[in-house]
Amino acid sequence: MRIVLIGLIACLMNGVVYAQSFQNPVLDSGADPYSIYVDGFYYYTHTVGNRIVLYKTRNLANLRQAESKTIWIPPKGTVYSHEIWAPEIHFIDKAWYVYFAADDGDNTNHRMYAIQNTSNDPFSENWEFKGKLAAHPDRWAIDGNVFDYKDQLYMVWSGWEGDVNEQQNIYIAKMSNPWTLEGNRVLLAEPTHNWEKQGDLNDAKNPPHVNVNEGPQFLEHNGKVFIVFSASGCWTDYYSLGLIEFTGDDLLDPVAWDKKSKPIFIKSEENGVYAPGHNSFFKSPDGSEDWILYHANDNPGDGCGGKRSPRMQKINWNDDGTPNLGVPFSTQTKLAIPLAN
């Protein structure tokens, strides 16, 4: 018994044995959650605003106990020194990249940027600023998501059609390397349904209403390709997730994408979850389960601030191959942790 107890204590100290259930949220605050899984560890990040913070854990259900570190702080006085939004960490060709949106203090100037780390450990000090990612035309842009499809890198993001804050659309472009967009941007989706058009604003700095498609995320399953995106203003309780399905041969062909007429993930007043959105996806450590990471609020009217917290739950698949995200669970619900190896 003594040997078993000593072994258990050792495992606990090494972060190997965890509780077998968890409750959302996985952190008290953190919008736009994103993670990747590399060599047995999840690397997780979310919007902080003035820097980029990275977490490392063997299971995302244990983020509260995870190692974390600020890996990059922008220099002062640049066009990317302020409002750092929706960072995503990726591991491409044996190098680490973080993509993020930032501006100079004026939201009109929001653009997407990349930093790179070629060391084995993303917690090292070797992060290098690579520059701005912009397709033609170079317009306001946020929420870049990078993915590989048939050995070609692409980025999808949310942007304005022109130079004025009227509507956010989803765009796509090829990448010539992990920090450079290639050619013209292509419009994939814009708000067309009522559930995408809830965006009244009541402040002097913005227009009275903005329609929103943002936070696009690539998702591939059994040969089918999707973009899951966030719709309506994050400042409303109607923030939700929509789905675009790829039905053609060329990702840059707008006709090859079919937007579903109804949202696939919405608020649950019964479960006390409001404005669920800006998600990402991950697999369980053993690779058998598909999970969604998303942020949401506990109360109506909590808006786009620090009250948004990261949550996660397992997803399933419909008979037609589309993702079934279910209903956002209550913070009182105990959920089984993702299956480990």
Side-chain angles (χ1 to χ4, degrees), residues 8 34 44 82 140 150 161 254 309 322:
L8 177 59
Y34 190 87
Y44 165 95
H82 299 271
W140 185 94
K150 295 185 177 180
E161 179 180 2
S309 57
T322 57

Side-chain angles (χ1 to χ4, degrees), residues 130-162:
K130 297 300 289 185
K132 181 172 73 172
L133 290 91
H136 180 77
D138 181 7
R139 298 284 192 261
W140 185 94
I142 64 170
D143 299 349
N145 174 239
V146 171
F147 62 92
D148 182 289
Y149 181 70
K150 295 185 177 180
D151 297 322
Q152 170 66 52
L153 282 178
Y154 296 85
M155 176 180 269
V156 286
W157 70 93
S158 177
W160 295 350
E161 179 180 2

Side-chain angles (χ1 to χ4, degrees), residues 14 92 109 160 168 182 189 219 278:
N14 288 324
I92 304 170
N109 297 323
W160 295 350
Q168 292 177 223
E182 175 183 295
L219 179 63
H278 202 118

Side-chain angles (χ1 to χ4, degrees), residues 201-279:
L201 285 159
N202 296 297
D203 65 82
K205 295 182 180 180
N206 290 295
H209 184 95
V210 177
N211 296 328
V212 176
N213 280 178
E214 65 179 15
Q217 288 290 312
F218 175 80
L219 179 63
E220 189 172 11
H221 181 73
N222 288 346
K224 287 183 173 289
V225 171
F226 308 95
I227 298 294
V228 176
F229 65 95
S230 301
S232 286
C234 66
W235 54 91
T236 75
D237 295 336
Y238 299 98
Y239 200 55
S240 58
L241 296 180
L243 184 70
I244 316 168
E245 181 176 0
F246 179 57
T247 59
D249 299 316
D250 181 3
L251 294 184
L252 299 181
D253 179 7
V255 179
W257 293 89
D258 173 45
K259 179 192 284 188
K260 305 307 179 184
S261 62
K262 295 181 179 180
I264 61 171
F265 201 58
I266 62 174
K267 67 177 179 177
S268 173
E269 295 181 358
E270 179 181 359
N271 291 341
V273 181
Y274 297 86
H278 202 118
N279 77 292

Side-chain angles (χ1 to χ4, degrees), residues 108-124:
T108 304
N109 297 323
H110 247 110
R111 296 295 188 275
M112 299 180 298
Y113 300 91
I115 56 176
Q116 180 198 61
N117 189 332
T118 57
S119 68
N120 292 329
D121 183 8
F123 274 56
S124 73

